[in-house]
Amino acid sequence: MPLLLRTEAQWRAWRAKRSSTVLGLVPTMGSLHEGHLALMREAKRRAEDVVTTIFVNPTQFGPQEDLSRYPRDLEGDVRRCGDVGVDVVFAPVPEEMYPQGHQTFVEVQGLSRRWEGERRPGHFRGVATVVTQLLALFRPHVAVFGQKDYQQLKVLERLVKDLHLGVELVALPTVRDADGLAMSSRNAYLSSNERIAALSLSRGLRKAQALAASGETSAEVLMSAVRRELTESGAREDYVALVDSQTLEPLEMTDASSPARMLVAAFVGKTRLIDNAAISASGPASASPAPDQA
Ligand code: AMP
């Protein structure tokens, strides 16, 4: 079983005794699923000691969002972390990360502006702040994140570069259920009918990939393919965007020389889900494109 630590002081005491090992970090909000566990396995492959943090970070939730009802299962999470060889689970209370008097926040300006940033004001400021805190506290050699939160990944890559943090960021493809649904802690909110509707996100992405692989280059046409799946299943679009995979600026056409990404956010009932996929402009059509195929 991993060691469960709740405070900075406990961590510093633990690390003082093992200060020379290669350290891997996997930040999460808990309610762990296979997607999270894949990150931890990768961290364990790359590092001697692995810390998973479980912290439902209040500063990345808007006032109307699901902070209080976000699923929590610390006991189960610690067990799951143990199954994949995690050494330390760090699960602080909010006051540990944001004690009275906390005044410092981190903002990645350009990449945070659109898409999730526009729909969820303050979200990336909260994410960038807590990840900076965790990187400063743990000083990992490597930190592992998922492509499931694609814009977040790009924001964090920028953050690490701009602040010269010198940690290696590793990004893993989205882990999906067998029917294509991207695993997410928020899938726990879905009724069985809503879960069927939620499949429209990944189905739409696969359709767009197939169209692009067969030669379609118009962003409008590719985005329409995603929108059609959402509409037909009763999901409500928040945004669908074909973007440059690095700058996240919107594209009008795909272009074989610069990789594109399709981003989608939609409401299924009251639950807001996001997904994304690489859109490749060149190459022969694949028989069954998977959303994370490069
Ligand atoms: P969260 O607990 O939602 O904050 O996510 C913690 C980390 O797990 C982030 O790096 C996410 O991108 C990653 N993650 C969440 N869902 C998946 C998934 N289905 N596949 C791969 N990584 C994921």
Side-chain angles (χ1 to χ4, degrees), residues 169-231:
L169 292 195
V170 173
L172 292 197
T174 301
V175 176
R176 298 173 182 281
D177 287 333
D179 55 12
L181 183 67
M183 289 190 183
S184 164
S185 306
R186 289 191 168 97
N187 292 350
Y189 298 147
L190 301 172
S191 69
S192 51
N193 280 339
E194 286 172 341
R195 196 184 172 290
I196 292 169
L199 291 172
S200 60
L201 281 80
S202 55
R203 200 166 53 237
L205 292 171
R206 284 199 304 276
K207 295 231 157 131
Q209 283 182 315
L211 273 175
S214 66
E216 180 59 61
T217 59
S218 156
E220 213 39 65
V221 172
L222 296 170
M223 293 189 299
S224 296
V226 181
R227 291 192 170 113
R228 196 172 317 118
E229 292 301 322
L230 298 180
T231 310

Short mmCIF file of all heavy atoms in Angstrom, two decimals, residues 169-231:
data_model
loop_
_atom_site.label_atom_id
_atom_site.label_comp_id
_atom_site.label_asym_id
_atom_site.label_seq_id
_atom_site.Cartn_x
_atom_site.Cartn_y
_atom_site.Cartn_z
N LEU A 169 7.71 16.83 -18.91
CA LEU A 169 6.28 16.52 -18.95
C LEU A 169 6.05 15.40 -19.95
O LEU A 169 6.52 15.47 -21.09
CB LEU A 169 5.45 17.73 -19.37
CG LEU A 169 5.37 18.92 -18.43
CD1 LEU A 169 4.24 19.85 -18.84
CD2 LEU A 169 5.21 18.49 -16.98
N VAL A 170 5.33 14.39 -19.52
CA VAL A 170 5.00 13.27 -20.41
C VAL A 170 3.49 13.28 -20.60
O VAL A 170 2.74 13.42 -19.63
CB VAL A 170 5.45 11.93 -19.78
CG1 VAL A 170 4.96 10.75 -20.60
CG2 VAL A 170 6.97 11.91 -19.64
N ALA A 171 3.05 13.16 -21.86
CA ALA A 171 1.61 13.19 -22.16
C ALA A 171 1.18 11.84 -22.71
O ALA A 171 1.80 11.32 -23.65
CB ALA A 171 1.33 14.28 -23.19
N LEU A 172 0.14 11.27 -22.15
CA LEU A 172 -0.35 9.97 -22.61
C LEU A 172 -1.70 10.12 -23.32
O LEU A 172 -2.50 10.98 -22.96
CB LEU A 172 -0.51 9.01 -21.44
CG LEU A 172 0.74 8.54 -20.72
CD1 LEU A 172 0.42 7.31 -19.87
CD2 LEU A 172 1.87 8.21 -21.67
N PRO A 173 -1.96 9.25 -24.29
CA PRO A 173 -3.24 9.29 -25.01
C PRO A 173 -4.42 9.02 -24.08
O PRO A 173 -4.27 8.40 -23.02
CB PRO A 173 -3.13 8.16 -26.03
CG PRO A 173 -1.74 7.69 -26.01
CD PRO A 173 -1.07 8.20 -24.77
N THR A 174 -5.58 9.47 -24.51
CA THR A 174 -6.80 9.29 -23.72
C THR A 174 -7.17 7.81 -23.64
O THR A 174 -7.20 7.11 -24.66
CB THR A 174 -7.95 10.06 -24.40
OG1 THR A 174 -7.57 11.43 -24.46
CG2 THR A 174 -9.24 9.91 -23.62
N VAL A 175 -7.44 7.36 -22.43
CA VAL A 175 -7.91 5.98 -22.23
C VAL A 175 -9.43 5.99 -22.33
O VAL A 175 -10.09 6.86 -21.75
CB VAL A 175 -7.44 5.43 -20.87
CG1 VAL A 175 -8.01 4.04 -20.62
CG2 VAL A 175 -5.92 5.41 -20.81
N ARG A 176 -9.96 5.04 -23.09
CA ARG A 176 -11.39 5.01 -23.38
C ARG A 176 -12.03 3.70 -22.95
O ARG A 176 -11.35 2.67 -22.90
CB ARG A 176 -11.60 5.18 -24.90
CG ARG A 176 -11.10 6.50 -25.41
CD ARG A 176 -11.13 6.64 -26.92
NE ARG A 176 -10.58 7.95 -27.24
CZ ARG A 176 -11.26 9.09 -27.15
NH1 ARG A 176 -12.54 9.06 -26.82
NH2 ARG A 176 -10.68 10.24 -27.40
N ASP A 177 -13.32 3.76 -22.68
CA ASP A 177 -14.07 2.52 -22.52
C ASP A 177 -14.11 1.83 -23.88
O ASP A 177 -13.84 2.45 -24.92
CB ASP A 177 -15.49 2.82 -22.03
CG ASP A 177 -15.51 3.24 -20.56
OD1 ASP A 177 -14.59 2.84 -19.81
OD2 ASP A 177 -16.44 3.98 -20.17
N ALA A 178 -14.50 0.54 -23.87
CA ALA A 178 -14.46 -0.23 -25.12
C ALA A 178 -15.31 0.41 -26.22
O ALA A 178 -14.99 0.31 -27.41
CB ALA A 178 -14.93 -1.66 -24.85
N ASP A 179 -16.38 1.10 -25.85
CA ASP A 179 -17.25 1.71 -26.86
C ASP A 179 -16.81 3.11 -27.27
O ASP A 179 -17.49 3.79 -28.03
CB ASP A 179 -18.71 1.73 -26.38
CG ASP A 179 -18.86 2.41 -25.03
OD1 ASP A 179 -17.90 3.06 -24.57
OD2 ASP A 179 -19.95 2.31 -24.43
N GLY A 180 -15.67 3.56 -26.77
CA GLY A 180 -15.11 4.83 -27.24
C GLY A 180 -15.23 5.98 -26.25
O GLY A 180 -14.53 6.99 -26.39
N LEU A 181 -16.10 5.87 -25.27
CA LEU A 181 -16.27 6.99 -24.33
C LEU A 181 -14.96 7.26 -23.59
O LEU A 181 -14.37 6.34 -23.00
CB LEU A 181 -17.38 6.66 -23.32
CG LEU A 181 -17.71 7.76 -22.32
CD1 LEU A 181 -18.34 8.97 -23.02
CD2 LEU A 181 -18.64 7.25 -21.22
N ALA A 182 -14.52 8.50 -23.63
CA ALA A 182 -13.31 8.86 -22.90
C ALA A 182 -13.56 8.72 -21.40
O ALA A 182 -14.56 9.23 -20.89
CB ALA A 182 -12.91 10.31 -23.22
N MET A 183 -12.69 8.00 -20.72
CA MET A 183 -12.89 7.84 -19.27
C MET A 183 -12.77 9.19 -18.59
O MET A 183 -11.91 10.01 -18.93
CB MET A 183 -11.86 6.88 -18.70
CG MET A 183 -12.13 5.47 -19.13
SD MET A 183 -11.07 4.33 -18.22
CE MET A 183 -11.57 2.80 -18.99
N SER A 184 -13.64 9.42 -17.63
CA SER A 184 -13.65 10.68 -16.89
C SER A 184 -14.33 10.44 -15.55
O SER A 184 -15.32 9.68 -15.48
CB SER A 184 -14.44 11.74 -17.67
OG SER A 184 -14.76 12.84 -16.84
N SER A 185 -13.83 11.08 -14.51
CA SER A 185 -14.49 10.96 -13.21
C SER A 185 -15.93 11.46 -13.33
O SER A 185 -16.81 10.98 -12.62
CB SER A 185 -13.74 11.77 -12.16
OG SER A 185 -12.38 11.39 -12.14
N ARG A 186 -16.17 12.42 -14.21
CA ARG A 186 -17.52 12.99 -14.35
C ARG A 186 -18.49 12.03 -15.04
O ARG A 186 -19.69 12.28 -15.02
CB ARG A 186 -17.45 14.32 -15.10
CG ARG A 186 -16.81 15.42 -14.27
CD ARG A 186 -16.98 16.80 -14.90
NE ARG A 186 -16.62 17.86 -13.98
CZ ARG A 186 -15.43 18.48 -13.93
NH1 ARG A 186 -14.46 18.12 -14.76
NH2 ARG A 186 -15.20 19.44 -13.06
N ASN A 187 -17.99 10.95 -15.66
CA ASN A 187 -18.91 9.98 -16.25
C ASN A 187 -19.81 9.37 -15.18
O ASN A 187 -20.88 8.85 -15.49
CB ASN A 187 -18.15 8.87 -16.98
CG ASN A 187 -17.45 9.37 -18.23
OD1 ASN A 187 -17.67 10.51 -18.65
ND2 ASN A 187 -16.60 8.54 -18.81
N ALA A 188 -19.38 9.44 -13.92
CA ALA A 188 -20.20 8.91 -12.82
C ALA A 188 -21.52 9.67 -12.70
O ALA A 188 -22.49 9.15 -12.13
CB ALA A 188 -19.42 9.00 -11.50
N TYR A 189 -21.59 10.87 -13.22
CA TYR A 189 -22.84 11.65 -13.17
C TYR A 189 -23.88 11.15 -14.16
O TYR A 189 -25.05 11.52 -14.07
CB TYR A 189 -22.59 13.12 -13.52
CG TYR A 189 -21.65 13.90 -12.63
CD1 TYR A 189 -20.86 14.91 -13.18
CD2 TYR A 189 -21.58 13.67 -11.26
CE1 TYR A 189 -20.01 15.66 -12.39
CE2 TYR A 189 -20.72 14.42 -10.46
CZ TYR A 189 -19.94 15.41 -11.03
OH TYR A 189 -19.09 16.15 -10.25
N LEU A 190 -23.45 10.36 -15.17
CA LEU A 190 -24.34 10.04 -16.29
C LEU A 190 -25.31 8.91 -15.97
O LEU A 190 -24.91 7.88 -15.42
CB LEU A 190 -23.50 9.63 -17.51
CG LEU A 190 -22.49 10.66 -18.05
CD1 LEU A 190 -21.60 10.01 -19.12
CD2 LEU A 190 -23.20 11.88 -18.60
N SER A 191 -26.58 9.09 -16.34
CA SER A 191 -27.54 7.99 -16.29
C SER A 191 -27.22 7.07 -17.47
O SER A 191 -26.42 7.42 -18.35
CB SER A 191 -28.97 8.52 -16.43
OG SER A 191 -29.14 9.02 -17.75
N SER A 192 -27.88 5.90 -17.53
CA SER A 192 -27.53 4.98 -18.62
C SER A 192 -27.92 5.57 -19.98
O SER A 192 -27.19 5.41 -20.96
CB SER A 192 -28.13 3.60 -18.41
OG SER A 192 -29.49 3.72 -18.16
N ASN A 193 -29.03 6.31 -20.04
CA ASN A 193 -29.38 6.96 -21.32
C ASN A 193 -28.41 8.07 -21.67
O ASN A 193 -28.05 8.25 -22.83
CB ASN A 193 -30.80 7.53 -21.25
CG ASN A 193 -31.83 6.44 -21.48
OD1 ASN A 193 -31.51 5.39 -22.04
ND2 ASN A 193 -33.05 6.68 -21.02
N GLU A 194 -28.00 8.81 -20.66
CA GLU A 194 -27.04 9.89 -20.91
C GLU A 194 -25.70 9.33 -21.38
O GLU A 194 -25.02 9.92 -22.22
CB GLU A 194 -26.84 10.73 -19.65
CG GLU A 194 -28.04 11.63 -19.36
CD GLU A 194 -27.93 12.33 -18.01
OE1 GLU A 194 -27.15 11.88 -17.14
OE2 GLU A 194 -28.66 13.32 -17.81
N ARG A 195 -25.35 8.18 -20.84
CA ARG A 195 -24.08 7.58 -21.26
C ARG A 195 -24.11 7.24 -22.74
O ARG A 195 -23.13 7.40 -23.46
CB ARG A 195 -23.78 6.33 -20.42
CG ARG A 195 -22.33 5.92 -20.56
CD ARG A 195 -21.97 4.65 -19.86
NE ARG A 195 -20.61 4.29 -20.24
CZ ARG A 195 -20.27 3.87 -21.45
NH1 ARG A 195 -21.18 3.70 -22.38
NH2 ARG A 195 -18.99 3.60 -21.73
N ILE A 196 -25.27 6.79 -23.22
CA ILE A 196 -25.41 6.50 -24.66
C ILE A 196 -25.24 7.79 -25.46
O ILE A 196 -24.53 7.84 -26.46
CB ILE A 196 -26.77 5.82 -24.94
CG1 ILE A 196 -26.77 4.43 -24.30
CG2 ILE A 196 -27.04 5.74 -26.44
CD1 ILE A 196 -28.13 3.74 -24.27
N ALA A 197 -25.88 8.86 -24.98
CA ALA A 197 -25.75 10.16 -25.68
C ALA A 197 -24.30 10.65 -25.65
O ALA A 197 -23.83 11.27 -26.62
CB ALA A 197 -26.69 11.18 -25.04
N ALA A 198 -23.62 10.36 -24.56
CA ALA A 198 -22.23 10.83 -24.40
C ALA A 198 -21.28 10.21 -25.43
O ALA A 198 -20.24 10.77 -25.75
CB ALA A 198 -21.73 10.53 -22.98
N LEU A 199 -21.68 9.05 -25.96
CA LEU A 199 -20.85 8.41 -26.98
C LEU A 199 -20.74 9.25 -28.24
O LEU A 199 -19.86 9.04 -29.08
CB LEU A 199 -21.43 7.03 -27.35
CG LEU A 199 -21.32 5.97 -26.26
CD1 LEU A 199 -22.11 4.73 -26.65
CD2 LEU A 199 -19.86 5.63 -26.03
N SER A 200 -21.66 10.23 -28.38
CA SER A 200 -21.64 11.06 -29.60
C SER A 200 -20.36 11.88 -29.70
O SER A 200 -19.94 12.24 -30.80
CB SER A 200 -22.87 11.97 -29.65
OG SER A 200 -22.87 12.83 -28.53
N LEU A 201 -19.73 12.21 -28.58
CA LEU A 201 -18.50 13.00 -28.66
C LEU A 201 -17.40 12.21 -29.39
O LEU A 201 -16.83 12.68 -30.37
CB LEU A 201 -18.00 13.42 -27.27
CG LEU A 201 -18.71 14.60 -26.60
CD1 LEU A 201 -20.02 14.17 -25.97
CD2 LEU A 201 -17.83 15.24 -25.54
N SER A 202 -17.14 11.00 -28.91
CA SER A 202 -16.06 10.21 -29.53
C SER A 202 -16.46 9.75 -30.93
O SER A 202 -15.61 9.69 -31.84
CB SER A 202 -15.68 9.02 -28.66
OG SER A 202 -16.80 8.23 -28.37
N ARG A 203 -17.76 9.47 -31.11
CA ARG A 203 -18.20 9.07 -32.46
C ARG A 203 -18.00 10.21 -33.44
O ARG A 203 -17.52 10.02 -34.56
CB ARG A 203 -19.66 8.63 -32.40
CG ARG A 203 -20.09 7.75 -33.56
CD ARG A 203 -21.42 7.07 -33.32
NE ARG A 203 -22.44 8.03 -32.94
CZ ARG A 203 -23.15 7.96 -31.82
NH1 ARG A 203 -22.96 6.99 -30.95
NH2 ARG A 203 -24.06 8.88 -31.57
N GLY A 204 -18.35 11.41 -33.03
CA GLY A 204 -18.16 12.58 -33.89
C GLY A 204 -16.70 12.78 -34.24
O GLY A 204 -16.35 13.08 -35.39
N LEU A 205 -15.84 12.60 -33.25
CA LEU A 205 -14.40 12.75 -33.51
C LEU A 205 -13.91 11.71 -34.50
O LEU A 205 -13.12 12.01 -35.41
CB LEU A 205 -13.62 12.64 -32.20
CG LEU A 205 -13.82 13.79 -31.21
CD1 LEU A 205 -13.17 13.47 -29.87
CD2 LEU A 205 -13.27 15.10 -31.77
N ARG A 206 -14.39 10.49 -34.35
CA ARG A 206 -13.97 9.43 -35.29
C ARG A 206 -14.46 9.74 -36.71
O ARG A 206 -13.75 9.53 -37.68
CB ARG A 206 -14.49 8.06 -34.84
CG ARG A 206 -13.70 7.48 -33.67
CD ARG A 206 -13.91 5.97 -33.55
NE ARG A 206 -15.32 5.61 -33.42
CZ ARG A 206 -15.98 5.61 -32.27
NH1 ARG A 206 -15.39 5.95 -31.15
NH2 ARG A 206 -17.26 5.27 -32.25
N LYS A 207 -15.70 10.26 -36.81
CA LYS A 207 -16.22 10.61 -38.14
C LYS A 207 -15.35 11.70 -38.77
O LYS A 207 -15.03 11.66 -39.96
CB LYS A 207 -17.67 11.07 -38.02
CG LYS A 207 -18.58 9.94 -37.57
CD LYS A 207 -19.79 9.78 -38.45
CE LYS A 207 -20.32 8.36 -38.30
NZ LYS A 207 -21.73 8.25 -38.05
N ALA A 208 -15.00 12.69 -37.96
CA ALA A 208 -14.15 13.78 -38.49
C ALA A 208 -12.80 13.23 -38.93
O ALA A 208 -12.27 13.61 -39.99
CB ALA A 208 -13.99 14.88 -37.44
N GLN A 209 -12.25 12.33 -38.15
CA GLN A 209 -10.97 11.72 -38.53
C GLN A 209 -11.08 10.97 -39.85
O GLN A 209 -10.20 11.05 -40.70
CB GLN A 209 -10.51 10.74 -37.45
CG GLN A 209 -9.92 11.40 -36.24
CD GLN A 209 -9.45 10.36 -35.24
OE1 GLN A 209 -10.16 9.39 -34.98
NE2 GLN A 209 -8.27 10.55 -34.70
N ALA A 210 -12.17 10.23 -39.98
CA ALA A 210 -12.35 9.44 -41.20
C ALA A 210 -12.50 10.36 -42.41
O ALA A 210 -11.93 10.10 -43.47
CB ALA A 210 -13.57 8.52 -41.06
N LEU A 211 -13.26 11.44 -42.24
CA LEU A 211 -13.43 12.41 -43.33
C LEU A 211 -12.08 13.02 -43.72
O LEU A 211 -11.75 13.13 -44.90
CB LEU A 211 -14.35 13.54 -42.89
CG LEU A 211 -15.86 13.34 -43.09
CD1 LEU A 211 -16.60 14.52 -42.47
CD2 LEU A 211 -16.18 13.23 -44.58
N ALA A 212 -11.32 13.41 -42.71
CA ALA A 212 -10.01 14.03 -42.98
C ALA A 212 -9.10 13.02 -43.68
O ALA A 212 -8.38 13.37 -44.62
CB ALA A 212 -9.37 14.52 -41.69
N ALA A 213 -9.15 11.79 -43.24
CA ALA A 213 -8.30 10.76 -43.84
C ALA A 213 -8.69 10.50 -45.29
O ALA A 213 -7.87 10.10 -46.10
CB ALA A 213 -8.37 9.48 -43.03
N SER A 214 -9.97 10.75 -45.62
CA SER A 214 -10.39 10.51 -47.01
C SER A 214 -10.23 11.77 -47.86
O SER A 214 -10.72 11.82 -48.99
CB SER A 214 -11.83 9.99 -47.05
OG SER A 214 -12.69 11.01 -46.60
N GLY A 215 -9.60 12.79 -47.30
CA GLY A 215 -9.22 13.94 -48.13
C GLY A 215 -9.93 15.24 -47.81
O GLY A 215 -9.60 16.28 -48.37
N GLU A 216 -10.91 15.22 -46.91
CA GLU A 216 -11.62 16.46 -46.57
C GLU A 216 -10.68 17.39 -45.79
O GLU A 216 -10.06 16.97 -44.82
CB GLU A 216 -12.86 16.13 -45.72
CG GLU A 216 -13.68 17.32 -45.31
CD GLU A 216 -14.20 18.11 -46.52
OE1 GLU A 216 -14.94 17.55 -47.32
OE2 GLU A 216 -13.81 19.30 -46.65
N THR A 217 -10.61 18.66 -46.20
CA THR A 217 -9.71 19.58 -45.52
C THR A 217 -10.44 20.76 -44.87
O THR A 217 -9.85 21.49 -44.08
CB THR A 217 -8.67 20.18 -46.50
OG1 THR A 217 -9.38 20.85 -47.54
CG2 THR A 217 -7.78 19.10 -47.09
N SER A 218 -11.71 20.96 -45.18
CA SER A 218 -12.43 22.12 -44.66
C SER A 218 -12.78 21.95 -43.18
O SER A 218 -13.46 20.98 -42.79
CB SER A 218 -13.72 22.33 -45.47
OG SER A 218 -14.67 23.03 -44.70
N ALA A 219 -12.36 22.90 -42.37
CA ALA A 219 -12.67 22.84 -40.95
C ALA A 219 -14.18 22.83 -40.74
O ALA A 219 -14.69 22.09 -39.89
CB ALA A 219 -12.05 24.04 -40.22
N GLU A 220 -14.88 23.62 -41.52
CA GLU A 220 -16.33 23.73 -41.37
C GLU A 220 -16.99 22.35 -41.57
O GLU A 220 -17.85 21.94 -40.79
CB GLU A 220 -16.86 24.75 -42.39
CG GLU A 220 -18.06 25.55 -41.95
CD GLU A 220 -18.03 25.97 -40.49
OE1 GLU A 220 -17.13 26.75 -40.11
OE2 GLU A 220 -18.89 25.50 -39.71
N VAL A 221 -16.56 21.66 -42.60
CA VAL A 221 -17.15 20.34 -42.89
C VAL A 221 -16.78 19.35 -41.78
O VAL A 221 -17.61 18.58 -41.29
CB VAL A 221 -16.66 19.82 -44.28
CG1 VAL A 221 -17.11 18.38 -44.50
CG2 VAL A 221 -17.16 20.75 -45.38
N LEU A 222 -15.53 19.39 -41.35
CA LEU A 222 -15.08 18.45 -40.31
C LEU A 222 -15.80 18.72 -38.98
O LEU A 222 -16.22 17.80 -38.28
CB LEU A 222 -13.56 18.54 -40.14
CG LEU A 222 -12.74 18.12 -41.37
CD1 LEU A 222 -11.27 18.49 -41.19
CD2 LEU A 222 -12.88 16.62 -41.62
N MET A 223 -15.96 20.00 -38.67
CA MET A 223 -16.66 20.35 -37.41
C MET A 223 -18.14 19.98 -37.50
O MET A 223 -18.74 19.55 -36.51
CB MET A 223 -16.48 21.84 -37.10
CG MET A 223 -15.03 22.19 -36.77
SD MET A 223 -14.79 23.86 -36.14
CE MET A 223 -15.37 24.85 -37.50
N SER A 224 -18.71 20.14 -38.69
CA SER A 224 -20.13 19.78 -38.87
C SER A 224 -20.37 18.30 -38.60
O SER A 224 -21.42 17.92 -38.08
CB SER A 224 -20.60 20.08 -40.30
OG SER A 224 -20.52 21.44 -40.52
N ALA A 225 -19.38 17.49 -38.96
CA ALA A 225 -19.53 16.05 -38.72
C ALA A 225 -19.63 15.76 -37.22
O ALA A 225 -20.42 14.91 -36.79
CB ALA A 225 -18.34 15.30 -39.32
N VAL A 226 -18.86 16.49 -36.43
CA VAL A 226 -18.94 16.31 -34.97
C VAL A 226 -20.29 16.84 -34.47
O VAL A 226 -20.98 16.17 -33.69
CB VAL A 226 -17.78 17.06 -34.27
CG1 VAL A 226 -17.85 16.84 -32.77
CG2 VAL A 226 -16.44 16.60 -34.82
N ARG A 227 -20.65 18.02 -34.94
CA ARG A 227 -21.91 18.66 -34.47
C ARG A 227 -23.11 17.77 -34.78
O ARG A 227 -24.03 17.68 -33.98
CB ARG A 227 -22.09 20.01 -35.16
CG ARG A 227 -21.07 21.01 -34.69
CD ARG A 227 -21.39 22.43 -35.12
NE ARG A 227 -20.51 23.34 -34.44
CZ ARG A 227 -19.56 24.09 -35.04
NH1 ARG A 227 -19.43 24.07 -36.36
NH2 ARG A 227 -18.78 24.86 -34.33
N ARG A 228 -23.10 17.15 -35.95
CA ARG A 228 -24.24 16.31 -36.34
C ARG A 228 -24.42 15.18 -35.33
O ARG A 228 -25.52 14.88 -34.90
CB ARG A 228 -24.01 15.75 -37.76
CG ARG A 228 -25.26 15.20 -38.40
CD ARG A 228 -25.05 14.83 -39.87
NE ARG A 228 -24.28 15.84 -40.59
CZ ARG A 228 -23.07 15.63 -41.16
NH1 ARG A 228 -22.48 14.45 -41.07
NH2 ARG A 228 -22.45 16.59 -41.80
N GLU A 229 -23.32 14.54 -34.94
CA GLU A 229 -23.42 13.44 -33.97
C GLU A 229 -23.97 13.93 -32.63
O GLU A 229 -24.80 13.26 -32.01
CB GLU A 229 -22.05 12.78 -33.75
CG GLU A 229 -21.51 12.03 -34.94
CD GLU A 229 -22.43 10.91 -35.40
OE1 GLU A 229 -23.04 10.23 -34.55
OE2 GLU A 229 -22.56 10.73 -36.63
N LEU A 230 -23.50 15.10 -32.20
CA LEU A 230 -23.99 15.65 -30.92
C LEU A 230 -25.49 15.89 -31.00
O LEU A 230 -26.26 15.45 -30.15
CB LEU A 230 -23.28 16.97 -30.59
CG LEU A 230 -21.76 16.94 -30.39
CD1 LEU A 230 -21.24 18.35 -30.08
CD2 LEU A 230 -21.36 15.99 -29.27
N THR A 231 -25.91 16.59 -32.07
CA THR A 231 -27.32 16.97 -32.20
C THR A 231 -28.20 15.73 -32.26
O THR A 231 -29.23 15.66 -31.60
CB THR A 231 -27.51 17.80 -33.49
OG1 THR A 231 -26.54 18.83 -33.48
CG2 THR A 231 -28.89 18.40 -33.58
#
